[in-house]
Amino acid sequence: MRIGELAAKAGVSVRALRYYEEQNLLASVRSPSGQRQYPDSAVDRVQWIQQLYAAGLPSRTLVELLPCTLTGEVTIELLGRLTAERDRIDARISDLVNTRDRLDGIIATVTTVGATGRHCSPGNSTAS
Amino acid sequence: MRIGELAAKAGVSVRALRYYEEQNLLASVRSPSGQRQYPDSAVDRVQWIQQLYAAGLPSRTLVELLPCTLTGEVTIELLGRLTAERDRIDARISDLVNTRDRLDGIIATVTTVGATGRHCSPGNSTAS
DNA sequence: CTAAAACCTGACGCTGACGTCAGAGGCAAG
DNA sequence: CTTGCCTCTGACGTCAGCGTCAGGTTTTAG
């Protein structure tokens, strides 16, 4: 498939795909005229890249870890990096849960509310 | 307290605090000579700001939501924004858990490893 | 009193993951 | 053959949350 189709299927922009190639995250075979050709498997790969980006991993890290997350072959250093990143994600999860719970607490104190634009505060459930 | 002390106590840079003020996230009283003065409560406030930043909320959103997360007073629209952000954080947590689990799966297939620099793959537990 | 440390206001620099525009070539349809 | 969409390679623009430097004032320690 060509780049436009891959972009559509993976839900990213064409620019993003060319950027991934620039970062050595995604390879392509070139047609005689220079157009990029991708196998079907590229869709999953791109989505996995997106997921790791969303987890906060920068492209440098992805360059190192992406191959082994797909082949399952890894050196012991890479395994260390892998578990380290996993732990960092774990930590971020904890932080987010913490923040969400705190927001929930705040929301709970002002749950009972009047009409649009009205003011409300903790003791304002059925306003006088 | 002055800005340097606040920075130290809150664990952020002086520059960050001035930036927060620029973004109307953190107010200060000025001494006659123009130096910023903060109350003790500013430490908690700054840490809360940091936590919300870490949760992915941009400063524009913080400007709207920060006051009511501290006073408990909120309009119904703000309550909507508040729960919306909570839900977005929830979604991010789900994504991260998903990613972490996938990484865990990958790590599990290569857990038993040999010496530094050695190669390993799923069936390589007690290498020959 | 003086030197160091802390503070001030601009204002430009940085990083990362792209967006976007320019200018040119490819490719199937009518 | 030309219309129109897709693709190509640069290369500069963007945005956010600060870092950092310049050049000057204020506060503090000795």
Side-chain angles (χ1 to χ4, degrees), chain A residues 48 51 72-77 79 86 90 92 98-100 102 104 110 113-114 116-120 122, chain B residues 48 51 72-77 79 86 90 92 98-100 102 104 106 110 113-114 116-118 120 122:
Chain A
W48 180 223
Q51 203 170 343
E73 294 204 350
V74 75
T75 64
I76 194 171
E77 295 92 346
L79 184 59
R86 193 210 77 107
D90 246 18
R92 296 190 55 187
N98 193 323
T99 305
R100 184 203 56 187
R102 192 160 166 185
D104 271 344
V110 291
V113 170
T116 299
R118 289 262 304 291
H119 237 198
C120 59
Chain B
W48 181 223
Q51 202 170 344
E73 294 203 352
V74 76
T75 64
I76 193 171
E77 295 90 347
L79 184 59
R86 193 210 77 107
D90 247 17
R92 295 191 55 188
N98 193 322
T99 305
R100 185 204 54 190
R102 192 160 166 185
D104 270 343
I106 291 165
V110 291
V113 170
T116 298
R118 288 263 303 291
C120 58

Side-chain angles (χ1 to χ4, degrees), chain B residues 1-3 6 12-31 34-39 42 45-46 49 53 59 63 66:
Chain B
M1 66 179 19
R2 295 194 304 177
I3 197 169
L6 176 55
V12 305
S13 70
V14 167
R15 177 67 176 94
L17 296 178
R18 290 200 269 251
Y19 176 74
Y20 297 163
E21 184 168 326
E22 201 178 308
Q23 301 298 310
N24 299 310
L25 296 175
L26 181 66
S28 67
V29 172
R30 297 306 183 97
S31 76
Q35 298 205 346
R36 294 173 176 85
Q37 293 291 334
Y38 300 94
R45 185 181 178 108
V46 169
I49 291 171
Y53 270 139
S59 55
V63 168
L66 194 58

Side-chain angles (χ1 to χ4, degrees), chain A residues 44 47-48 51-52 54-57 68-77 79 82-83 85-86 89-90 92-93 95-100 102-104 106-107 109-122, chain B residues 44 47-48 51-52 54-57 68-77 79 82-83 85-86 89-90 92-93 95-100 102-104 106-107 109-122:
Chain A
D44 284 352
Q47 286 173 343
W48 180 223
Q51 203 170 343
L52 291 174
L57 307 196
C68 75
T69 67
L70 294 170
T71 66
E73 294 204 350
V74 75
T75 64
I76 194 171
E77 295 92 346
L79 184 59
L82 221 46
T83 58
E85 294 301 336
R86 193 210 77 107
I89 293 175
D90 246 18
R92 296 190 55 187
I93 291 172
D95 283 352
L96 286 179
V97 167
N98 193 323
T99 305
R100 184 203 56 187
R102 192 160 166 185
L103 275 179
D104 271 344
I106 292 165
I107 290 170
T109 69
V110 291
T111 286
T112 52
V113 170
T116 299
R118 289 262 304 291
H119 237 198
C120 59
S121 52
Chain B
D44 285 352
Q47 287 173 343
W48 181 223
Q51 202 170 344
L52 290 174
L57 307 195
C68 76
T69 67
L70 295 170
T71 65
E73 294 203 352
V74 76
T75 64
I76 193 171
E77 295 90 347
L79 184 59
L82 221 47
T83 57
E85 294 301 337
R86 193 210 77 107
I89 293 174
D90 247 17
R92 295 191 55 188
I93 291 173
D95 283 352
L96 286 178
V97 167
N98 193 322
T99 305
R100 185 204 54 190
R102 192 160 166 185
L103 276 179
D104 270 343
I106 291 165
I107 290 169
T109 70
V110 291
T111 286
T112 51
V113 170
T116 298
R118 288 263 303 291
H119 242 171
C120 58
S121 51

Side-chain angles (χ1 to χ4, degrees), chain A residues 11-33:
Chain A
V12 305
S13 69
V14 167
R15 177 67 175 93
L17 295 179
R18 290 201 267 250
Y19 176 74
Y20 297 162
E21 184 168 325
E22 200 179 310
Q23 302 298 311
N24 299 310
L25 296 175
L26 182 65
S28 67
V29 172
R30 297 307 183 99
S31 75
S33 63

